[in-house]
Amino acid sequence: MHDPRALIEMGPEAVRRLARRGYTLDLSALESLQSRRSQLILRVDELRAETKRVAQDVQHAARQGEDTGALKERAREIKELIRSAEVEQEQAQTELRNLLLTVPNLPLDSTPEGDSDEHAVELRRVGAPQSFSFEPKDHVDLGEALGILDFGRASKLSGSRFSVVRGAGAAIERALAALFLDLHTKRHGYTEHSVPYLVTRQTMTGTGQLPKFEEDLFATSMGDRELFLIPTAEVPLTNLYADEIIPPADLPLALTAYTPCFRSEAGSYGRDTRGILRQHQFSKVEMVRICDPKDSQAELEKMLGHAEACLKELGLAYRVVQLAAGDLGFSAQITYDIEVWLPSQQTYREISSCSDTGVFQARRAGIRTRDEHGKTKPVATLNGSGLPIGRTLAALLEQGQQHDGSVVLPEALVPYLGFRRIAADGTTEA
């Protein structure tokens, strides 16, 4: 969430930067709400000051034996005026906050122009896509032939956009999570967390999922208690420090968690609905970093390297792109996507997003630190996928497929699996 004074001071510059991402800022409405709120705060302060003066006048008149009736009546009038002004002030504050909650983050000027993945700028490619002497299958056909993916039974249980992974496939998913967590905790310095999968509306608001993206979330309720299923571990990990002041000496913080993620994917029907690329439930290892705002860009590069390390460990071909301003997530000011090669589609597909949100989420969630003078200020927060399990499994199947229908897996997974190859009949071999 933005500081309204900062947006107003930026004026046309704020309008220009937000327009790059397709958002029209109503600057006059913002100025009007901010002015009204400020005037009401001043009005309440003036009335409270008058209350003190009248109280002193009552005491003085009483000591002099004078009639205090008129003064007491004025004190009652002021009390009512304060109550009324406070109600108006709260209404103005709510209107201002509601407006600010819908304003996305300002993209950095370094983000490319454009509003779709077609406008992303490629930064580098790592690993050469395989050349096959046969027509490569997609992960759905491979997984079903090997007996490790079952979409029919998943549909029977939960409807469309779910999957059942079994046998060697389930073992690979478990192994991937363990490998990624080991990389992040033992090599990259993250602290692993086990977090709730159900969170409050306030928690969802802190990281920017609410109020704008409520249709993308799964919600549940027990009586008057409302909870949301997390769409990513970014939500609980970042909000662990909501309404706290983090000592500067503790920064940066590096947090990771392996959780299921739940997304309604509203509006995405027809896109990637085949297989495990876009599902209502999937698992992911998430990275979150919290730092001083001046260090956020360096921390983003560091996090991107940590996500890339997972793919390098698996020997998967991928590329890194920088998203265009109009394609950024609501809370991000800059985002790098990592896209893994899928032979069946002959293209790169997103497997990780690493974003710097600056102080945007921290202002919403009340996460602060102190400057060199001891004054509180918002921290910067960053998040990145490191990595999603389903999409990584799909890439492993497709990039590791052989002409005989078997799949060869990366050496890095063998210590976690105990096998290197899945034969065409679904049996595993060292």
Side-chain angles (χ1 to χ4, degrees):
M1 186 167 67
H2 298 284
D3 180 344
R5 294 166 298 184
L7 287 179
I8 291 169
E9 287 174 6
M10 291 176 68
E13 174 65 10
V15 174
R16 179 193 69 81
R17 290 175 64 182
L18 286 167
R20 294 185 66 223
R21 62 180 304 155
Y23 181 87
T24 301
L25 175 64
D26 190 338
L27 195 59
S28 61
L30 179 63
E31 290 173 336
S32 176
L33 285 171
Q34 174 68 8
S35 174
R36 180 172 165 234
R37 173 180 172 274
S38 298
Q39 290 171 1
L40 287 167
I41 290 173
L42 180 61
R43 174 63 172 157
V44 169
D45 289 343
E46 290 173 344
L47 288 170
R48 285 173 178 162
E50 186 177 354
T51 295
K52 291 180 181 179
R53 291 195 299 270
V54 170
Q56 292 172 350
D57 291 345
V58 169
Q59 292 175 357
H60 178 75
R63 284 195 297 268
Q64 299 298 318
E66 299 174 356
D67 181 17
T68 61
L71 289 171
K72 289 181 177 179
E73 179 60 27
R74 177 57 182 164
R76 284 190 291 270
E77 291 175 356
I78 296 172
K79 186 175 181 180
E80 289 301 316
L81 288 172
I82 290 175
R83 184 180 295 113
S84 176
E86 285 178 335
V87 170
E88 289 187 58
Q89 179 186 330
E90 182 63 30
Q91 290 174 342
Q93 176 64 34
T94 298
E95 289 179 33
L96 179 61
R97 177 175 171 79
N98 287 343
L99 172 60
L100 291 171
L101 285 175
T102 67
V103 181
N105 204 351
L106 295 168
L108 298 182
D109 283 337
S110 60
T111 56
E113 294 294 338
D115 59 4
S116 73
D117 54 7
E118 295 178 358
H119 300 106
V121 174
E122 181 176 298
L123 302 180
R124 58 182 169 273
R125 296 189 180 194
V126 178
Q130 301 91 327
S131 295
F132 295 96
S133 59
F134 56 92
E135 186 70 25
K137 297 180 180 178
D138 72 5
H139 69 277
V140 177
D141 292 336
L142 285 165
E144 290 182 332
L146 294 170
I148 64 175
L149 293 179
D150 190 334
F151 296 99
R153 287 188 171 91
S155 180
K156 178 172 64 176
L157 295 174
S158 306
S160 62
R161 310 285 283 279
F162 290 90
S163 64
V164 169
V165 186
R166 63 188 176 201
I172 294 171
E173 288 199 329
R174 177 161 42 89
L176 286 171
L179 171 63
F180 296 158
L181 288 171
D182 280 349
L183 286 174
H184 297 321
T185 58
K186 297 177 181 179
R187 187 184 299 179
H188 303 148
Y190 290 77
T191 299
E192 183 179 356
H193 289 69
S194 179
V195 293
Y197 306 154
L198 290 162
V199 298
T200 65
R201 177 174 288 272
Q202 181 178 357
T203 299
M204 283 290 189
T205 302
T207 38
Q209 281 73 25
L210 289 177
K212 186 174 178 60
F213 302 104
E214 188 158 355
E215 67 173 2
D216 293 324
L217 303 172
F218 285 104
T220 185
S221 61
M222 297 176 291
D224 60 354
R225 187 180 184 189
E226 177 189 49
L227 293 171
F228 295 85
L229 288 159
I230 60 171
T232 166
E234 167 203 342
V235 175
L237 285 176
T238 304
N239 281 282
L240 285 172
Y241 294 90
D243 300 316
E244 293 188 22
I245 300 174
I246 304 172
D250 291 349
L251 297 176
L253 296 174
L255 323 172
T256 188
Y258 169 54
T259 69
C261 305
F262 305 89
R263 300 182 185 181
S264 74
E265 299 286 4
S268 65
Y269 293 97
R271 297 172 52 210
D272 298 329
T273 55
R274 174 176 165 81
I276 57 178
L277 296 183
R278 192 183 294 272
Q279 296 194 304
H280 293 312
Q281 176 186 321
F282 61 97
S283 296
K284 179 160 63 88
V285 174
E286 182 76 358
M287 303 175 291
V288 164
R289 300 186 74 86
I290 301 175
C291 66
D292 189 284
K294 65 179 172 48
D295 300 324
S296 68
Q297 285 297 284
E299 290 293 313
L300 178 61
E301 297 295 333
K302 186 181 297 184
M303 175 179 283
L304 177 62
H306 297 159
E308 287 188 74
C310 296
L311 291 167
K312 291 176 180 177
E313 197 77 9
L314 296 172
L316 292 171
Y318 69 90
R319 71 171 186 166
V320 179
V321 302
Q322 183 179 355
L323 295 191
D327 200 29
L328 293 173
F330 180 79
S331 297
Q333 62 179 5
I334 180 174
T335 295
Y336 295 123
D337 269 9
I338 305 176
E339 299 177 346
V340 70
W341 178 255
L342 289 184
S344 67
Q345 299 183 17
Q346 289 293 292
T347 191
Y348 292 94
R349 300 303 304 272
E350 179 199 334
I351 196 169
S352 174
S353 282
C354 295
S355 299
D356 173 10
T357 76
V359 300
F360 186 80
Q361 290 180 330
R363 285 186 54 82
R364 295 170 75 101
I367 310 172
R368 294 160 292 163
T369 188
R370 296 190 185 277
D371 62 19
E372 61 273 18
H373 305 295
K375 184 178 179 181
T376 60
K377 65 176 184 179
V379 298
T381 62
L382 305 93
N383 60 81
S385 308
L387 295 168
I389 304 305
R391 291 194 174 203
T392 306
L393 174 60
L396 287 174
L397 292 177
E398 294 202 13
Q399 291 196 31
Q401 62 183 299
Q402 308 297 307
H403 71 280
D404 62 355
S406 65
V407 172
V408 175
L409 299 166
E411 187 65 39
L413 286 178
V414 174
Y416 298 91
L417 289 172
F419 60 87
R420 179 78 191 277
R421 182 173 177 270
I422 308 175
D425 63 0
T427 59
T428 59
E429 304 171 358

PDB file of all heavy atoms in Angstrom, residues 200-223:
ATOM      1  N   THR A 200      -6.241 -15.511   7.841  1.00  0.00           N
ATOM      2  CA  THR A 200      -7.327 -14.543   7.968  1.00  0.00           C
ATOM      3  C   THR A 200      -7.373 -13.568   6.798  1.00  0.00           C
ATOM      4  O   THR A 200      -6.429 -13.459   6.010  1.00  0.00           O
ATOM      5  CB  THR A 200      -7.162 -13.731   9.264  1.00  0.00           C
ATOM      6  OG1 THR A 200      -5.952 -12.960   9.159  1.00  0.00           O
ATOM      7  CG2 THR A 200      -7.086 -14.641  10.478  1.00  0.00           C
ATOM      8  N   ARG A 201      -8.460 -12.842   6.722  1.00  0.00           N
ATOM      9  CA  ARG A 201      -8.612 -11.793   5.704  1.00  0.00           C
ATOM     10  C   ARG A 201      -7.516 -10.733   5.865  1.00  0.00           C
ATOM     11  O   ARG A 201      -6.970 -10.236   4.877  1.00  0.00           O
ATOM     12  CB  ARG A 201     -10.005 -11.169   5.821  1.00  0.00           C
ATOM     13  CG  ARG A 201     -10.262 -10.013   4.854  1.00  0.00           C
ATOM     14  CD  ARG A 201     -11.711  -9.557   4.924  1.00  0.00           C
ATOM     15  NE  ARG A 201     -12.585 -10.544   4.308  1.00  0.00           N
ATOM     16  CZ  ARG A 201     -12.897 -10.582   3.023  1.00  0.00           C
ATOM     17  NH1 ARG A 201     -12.396  -9.677   2.195  1.00  0.00           N
ATOM     18  NH2 ARG A 201     -13.714 -11.505   2.560  1.00  0.00           N
ATOM     19  N   GLN A 202      -7.204 -10.380   7.099  1.00  0.00           N
ATOM     20  CA  GLN A 202      -6.167  -9.385   7.347  1.00  0.00           C
ATOM     21  C   GLN A 202      -4.821  -9.859   6.809  1.00  0.00           C
ATOM     22  O   GLN A 202      -4.059  -9.082   6.231  1.00  0.00           O
ATOM     23  CB  GLN A 202      -6.065  -9.097   8.843  1.00  0.00           C
ATOM     24  CG  GLN A 202      -5.020  -8.049   9.195  1.00  0.00           C
ATOM     25  CD  GLN A 202      -4.977  -7.753  10.688  1.00  0.00           C
ATOM     26  OE1 GLN A 202      -5.756  -8.289  11.466  1.00  0.00           O
ATOM     27  NE2 GLN A 202      -4.063  -6.894  11.088  1.00  0.00           N
ATOM     28  N   THR A 203      -4.520 -11.143   6.986  1.00  0.00           N
ATOM     29  CA  THR A 203      -3.262 -11.695   6.495  1.00  0.00           C
ATOM     30  C   THR A 203      -3.213 -11.643   4.980  1.00  0.00           C
ATOM     31  O   THR A 203      -2.193 -11.258   4.387  1.00  0.00           O
ATOM     32  CB  THR A 203      -3.092 -13.150   6.987  1.00  0.00           C
ATOM     33  OG1 THR A 203      -3.066 -13.152   8.417  1.00  0.00           O
ATOM     34  CG2 THR A 203      -1.808 -13.759   6.470  1.00  0.00           C
ATOM     35  N   MET A 204      -4.299 -12.018   4.313  1.00  0.00           N
ATOM     36  CA  MET A 204      -4.360 -11.951   2.856  1.00  0.00           C
ATOM     37  C   MET A 204      -4.227 -10.514   2.352  1.00  0.00           C
ATOM     38  O   MET A 204      -3.613 -10.259   1.308  1.00  0.00           O
ATOM     39  CB  MET A 204      -5.671 -12.546   2.346  1.00  0.00           C
ATOM     40  CG  MET A 204      -5.724 -14.053   2.353  1.00  0.00           C
ATOM     41  SD  MET A 204      -4.641 -14.782   1.090  1.00  0.00           S
ATOM     42  CE  MET A 204      -5.166 -16.494   1.204  1.00  0.00           C
ATOM     43  N   THR A 205      -4.768  -9.568   3.111  1.00  0.00           N
ATOM     44  CA  THR A 205      -4.684  -8.167   2.725  1.00  0.00           C
ATOM     45  C   THR A 205      -3.247  -7.666   2.840  1.00  0.00           C
ATOM     46  O   THR A 205      -2.789  -6.867   2.021  1.00  0.00           O
ATOM     47  CB  THR A 205      -5.614  -7.312   3.599  1.00  0.00           C
ATOM     48  OG1 THR A 205      -6.963  -7.797   3.473  1.00  0.00           O
ATOM     49  CG2 THR A 205      -5.575  -5.844   3.196  1.00  0.00           C
ATOM     50  N   GLY A 206      -2.521  -8.172   3.837  1.00  0.00           N
ATOM     51  CA  GLY A 206      -1.158  -7.725   4.072  1.00  0.00           C
ATOM     52  C   GLY A 206      -0.233  -7.932   2.896  1.00  0.00           C
ATOM     53  O   GLY A 206       0.643  -7.104   2.633  1.00  0.00           O
ATOM     54  N   THR A 207      -0.409  -9.022   2.156  1.00  0.00           N
ATOM     55  CA  THR A 207       0.465  -9.296   1.017  1.00  0.00           C
ATOM     56  C   THR A 207      -0.178  -8.945  -0.323  1.00  0.00           C
ATOM     57  O   THR A 207       0.427  -9.174  -1.373  1.00  0.00           O
ATOM     58  CB  THR A 207       0.903 -10.775   1.014  1.00  0.00           C
ATOM     59  OG1 THR A 207      -0.181 -11.605   1.436  1.00  0.00           O
ATOM     60  CG2 THR A 207       2.086 -10.998   1.939  1.00  0.00           C
ATOM     61  N   GLY A 208      -1.391  -8.410  -0.306  1.00  0.00           N
ATOM     62  CA  GLY A 208      -1.977  -7.864  -1.528  1.00  0.00           C
ATOM     63  C   GLY A 208      -2.949  -8.766  -2.259  1.00  0.00           C
ATOM     64  O   GLY A 208      -3.450  -8.403  -3.322  1.00  0.00           O
ATOM     65  N   GLN A 209      -3.249  -9.965  -1.705  1.00  0.00           N
ATOM     66  CA  GLN A 209      -4.240 -10.819  -2.368  1.00  0.00           C
ATOM     67  C   GLN A 209      -5.652 -10.252  -2.225  1.00  0.00           C
ATOM     68  O   GLN A 209      -6.486 -10.429  -3.119  1.00  0.00           O
ATOM     69  CB  GLN A 209      -4.195 -12.242  -1.786  1.00  0.00           C
ATOM     70  CG  GLN A 209      -3.074 -13.115  -2.296  1.00  0.00           C
ATOM     71  CD  GLN A 209      -1.718 -12.729  -1.758  1.00  0.00           C
ATOM     72  OE1 GLN A 209      -1.616 -12.134  -0.686  1.00  0.00           O
ATOM     73  NE2 GLN A 209      -0.665 -13.049  -2.488  1.00  0.00           N
ATOM     74  N   LEU A 210      -5.910  -9.578  -1.139  1.00  0.00           N
ATOM     75  CA  LEU A 210      -7.205  -8.934  -0.909  1.00  0.00           C
ATOM     76  C   LEU A 210      -6.983  -7.428  -0.812  1.00  0.00           C
ATOM     77  O   LEU A 210      -5.915  -6.972  -0.403  1.00  0.00           O
ATOM     78  CB  LEU A 210      -7.840  -9.461   0.384  1.00  0.00           C
ATOM     79  CG  LEU A 210      -8.347 -10.903   0.357  1.00  0.00           C
ATOM     80  CD1 LEU A 210      -8.884 -11.291   1.735  1.00  0.00           C
ATOM     81  CD2 LEU A 210      -9.413 -11.103  -0.708  1.00  0.00           C
ATOM     82  N   PRO A 211      -7.986  -6.655  -1.235  1.00  0.00           N
ATOM     83  CA  PRO A 211      -9.328  -7.087  -1.646  1.00  0.00           C
ATOM     84  C   PRO A 211      -9.463  -7.406  -3.132  1.00  0.00           C
ATOM     85  O   PRO A 211     -10.486  -7.945  -3.549  1.00  0.00           O
ATOM     86  CB  PRO A 211     -10.182  -5.870  -1.300  1.00  0.00           C
ATOM     87  CG  PRO A 211      -9.252  -4.702  -1.525  1.00  0.00           C
ATOM     88  CD  PRO A 211      -7.888  -5.181  -1.092  1.00  0.00           C
ATOM     89  N   LYS A 212      -8.470  -7.101  -3.936  1.00  0.00           N
ATOM     90  CA  LYS A 212      -8.616  -7.116  -5.385  1.00  0.00           C
ATOM     91  C   LYS A 212      -8.832  -8.513  -5.967  1.00  0.00           C
ATOM     92  O   LYS A 212      -9.547  -8.678  -6.955  1.00  0.00           O
ATOM     93  CB  LYS A 212      -7.392  -6.476  -6.034  1.00  0.00           C
ATOM     94  CG  LYS A 212      -7.503  -6.304  -7.550  1.00  0.00           C
ATOM     95  CD  LYS A 212      -6.325  -5.537  -8.096  1.00  0.00           C
ATOM     96  CE  LYS A 212      -6.398  -5.391  -9.610  1.00  0.00           C
ATOM     97  NZ  LYS A 212      -7.591  -4.692 -10.068  1.00  0.00           N
ATOM     98  N   PHE A 213      -8.224  -9.557  -5.363  1.00  0.00           N
ATOM     99  CA  PHE A 213      -8.216 -10.869  -6.005  1.00  0.00           C
ATOM    100  C   PHE A 213      -9.002 -11.927  -5.226  1.00  0.00           C
ATOM    101  O   PHE A 213      -8.635 -13.091  -5.212  1.00  0.00           O
ATOM    102  CB  PHE A 213      -6.770 -11.334  -6.203  1.00  0.00           C
ATOM    103  CG  PHE A 213      -5.955 -10.376  -7.022  1.00  0.00           C
ATOM    104  CD1 PHE A 213      -5.029  -9.531  -6.428  1.00  0.00           C
ATOM    105  CD2 PHE A 213      -6.146 -10.283  -8.392  1.00  0.00           C
ATOM    106  CE1 PHE A 213      -4.288  -8.645  -7.176  1.00  0.00           C
ATOM    107  CE2 PHE A 213      -5.412  -9.386  -9.160  1.00  0.00           C
ATOM    108  CZ  PHE A 213      -4.486  -8.562  -8.548  1.00  0.00           C
ATOM    109  N   GLU A 214     -10.086 -11.496  -4.602  1.00  0.00           N
ATOM    110  CA  GLU A 214     -10.854 -12.428  -3.778  1.00  0.00           C
ATOM    111  C   GLU A 214     -11.414 -13.588  -4.601  1.00  0.00           C
ATOM    112  O   GLU A 214     -11.521 -14.714  -4.112  1.00  0.00           O
ATOM    113  CB  GLU A 214     -11.984 -11.689  -3.055  1.00  0.00           C
ATOM    114  CG  GLU A 214     -12.710 -12.551  -2.039  1.00  0.00           C
ATOM    115  CD  GLU A 214     -13.427 -11.742  -0.970  1.00  0.00           C
ATOM    116  OE1 GLU A 214     -13.278 -10.497  -0.955  1.00  0.00           O
ATOM    117  OE2 GLU A 214     -14.125 -12.345  -0.149  1.00  0.00           O
ATOM    118  N   GLU A 215     -11.750 -13.342  -5.868  1.00  0.00           N
ATOM    119  CA  GLU A 215     -12.328 -14.406  -6.696  1.00  0.00           C
ATOM    120  C   GLU A 215     -11.311 -15.495  -7.017  1.00  0.00           C
ATOM    121  O   GLU A 215     -11.681 -16.593  -7.431  1.00  0.00           O
ATOM    122  CB  GLU A 215     -12.886 -13.826  -7.997  1.00  0.00           C
ATOM    123  CG  GLU A 215     -11.833 -13.264  -8.925  1.00  0.00           C
ATOM    124  CD  GLU A 215     -12.400 -12.853 -10.275  1.00  0.00           C
ATOM    125  OE1 GLU A 215     -13.613 -12.971 -10.475  1.00  0.00           O
ATOM    126  OE2 GLU A 215     -11.601 -12.423 -11.121  1.00  0.00           O
ATOM    127  N   ASP A 216     -10.030 -15.218  -6.818  1.00  0.00           N
ATOM    128  CA  ASP A 216      -8.992 -16.210  -7.090  1.00  0.00           C
ATOM    129  C   ASP A 216      -8.711 -17.105  -5.889  1.00  0.00           C
ATOM    130  O   ASP A 216      -7.894 -18.026  -5.981  1.00  0.00           O
ATOM    131  CB  ASP A 216      -7.679 -15.522  -7.502  1.00  0.00           C
ATOM    132  CG  ASP A 216      -7.800 -14.828  -8.843  1.00  0.00           C
ATOM    133  OD1 ASP A 216      -8.490 -15.362  -9.720  1.00  0.00           O
ATOM    134  OD2 ASP A 216      -7.208 -13.746  -9.010  1.00  0.00           O
ATOM    135  N   LEU A 217      -9.366 -16.830  -4.762  1.00  0.00           N
ATOM    136  CA  LEU A 217      -9.063 -17.537  -3.532  1.00  0.00           C
ATOM    137  C   LEU A 217     -10.161 -18.527  -3.159  1.00  0.00           C
ATOM    138  O   LEU A 217     -11.325 -18.341  -3.520  1.00  0.00           O
ATOM    139  CB  LEU A 217      -8.889 -16.537  -2.384  1.00  0.00           C
ATOM    140  CG  LEU A 217      -7.830 -15.450  -2.581  1.00  0.00           C
ATOM    141  CD1 LEU A 217      -7.912 -14.432  -1.454  1.00  0.00           C
ATOM    142  CD2 LEU A 217      -6.435 -16.051  -2.675  1.00  0.00           C
ATOM    143  N   PHE A 218      -9.769 -19.570  -2.441  1.00  0.00           N
ATOM    144  CA  PHE A 218     -10.719 -20.486  -1.825  1.00  0.00           C
ATOM    145  C   PHE A 218     -10.907 -20.054  -0.377  1.00  0.00           C
ATOM    146  O   PHE A 218      -9.938 -19.830   0.345  1.00  0.00           O
ATOM    147  CB  PHE A 218     -10.208 -21.930  -1.863  1.00  0.00           C
ATOM    148  CG  PHE A 218     -10.296 -22.576  -3.220  1.00  0.00           C
ATOM    149  CD1 PHE A 218      -9.167 -22.748  -4.003  1.00  0.00           C
ATOM    150  CD2 PHE A 218     -11.522 -23.016  -3.711  1.00  0.00           C
ATOM    151  CE1 PHE A 218      -9.245 -23.338  -5.249  1.00  0.00           C
ATOM    152  CE2 PHE A 218     -11.614 -23.612  -4.960  1.00  0.00           C
ATOM    153  CZ  PHE A 218     -10.473 -23.770  -5.732  1.00  0.00           C
ATOM    154  N   ALA A 219     -12.174 -19.930   0.038  1.00  0.00           N
ATOM    155  CA  ALA A 219     -12.475 -19.477   1.392  1.00  0.00           C
ATOM    156  C   ALA A 219     -13.304 -20.521   2.121  1.00  0.00           C
ATOM    157  O   ALA A 219     -13.999 -21.340   1.510  1.00  0.00           O
ATOM    158  CB  ALA A 219     -13.230 -18.147   1.357  1.00  0.00           C
ATOM    159  N   THR A 220     -13.219 -20.500   3.429  1.00  0.00           N
ATOM    160  CA  THR A 220     -14.023 -21.385   4.256  1.00  0.00           C
ATOM    161  C   THR A 220     -14.461 -20.620   5.489  1.00  0.00           C
ATOM    162  O   THR A 220     -13.896 -19.559   5.810  1.00  0.00           O
ATOM    163  CB  THR A 220     -13.228 -22.643   4.670  1.00  0.00           C
ATOM    164  OG1 THR A 220     -14.085 -23.543   5.384  1.00  0.00           O
ATOM    165  CG2 THR A 220     -12.051 -22.284   5.564  1.00  0.00           C
ATOM    166  N   SER A 221     -15.457 -21.114   6.165  1.00  0.00           N
ATOM    167  CA  SER A 221     -15.925 -20.421   7.367  1.00  0.00           C
ATOM    168  C   SER A 221     -16.436 -21.432   8.382  1.00  0.00           C
ATOM    169  O   SER A 221     -16.924 -22.514   8.028  1.00  0.00           O
ATOM    170  CB  SER A 221     -17.039 -19.416   7.031  1.00  0.00           C
ATOM    171  OG  SER A 221     -18.155 -20.077   6.467  1.00  0.00           O
ATOM    172  N   MET A 222     -16.285 -21.063   9.652  1.00  0.00           N
ATOM    173  CA  MET A 222     -16.818 -21.835  10.759  1.00  0.00           C
ATOM    174  C   MET A 222     -17.561 -20.849  11.648  1.00  0.00           C
ATOM    175  O   MET A 222     -16.935 -20.080  12.376  1.00  0.00           O
ATOM    176  CB  MET A 222     -15.690 -22.530  11.527  1.00  0.00           C
ATOM    177  CG  MET A 222     -14.911 -23.556  10.718  1.00  0.00           C
ATOM    178  SD  MET A 222     -13.522 -24.258  11.638  1.00  0.00           S
ATOM    179  CE  MET A 222     -12.437 -22.820  11.727  1.00  0.00           C
ATOM    180  N   GLY A 223     -18.890 -20.858  11.548  1.00  0.00           N
ATOM    181  CA  GLY A 223     -19.660 -19.855  12.259  1.00  0.00           C
ATOM    182  C   GLY A 223     -19.327 -18.487  11.708  1.00  0.00           C
ATOM    183  O   GLY A 223     -19.453 -18.234  10.515  1.00  0.00           O
TER     184      GLY A 223
END
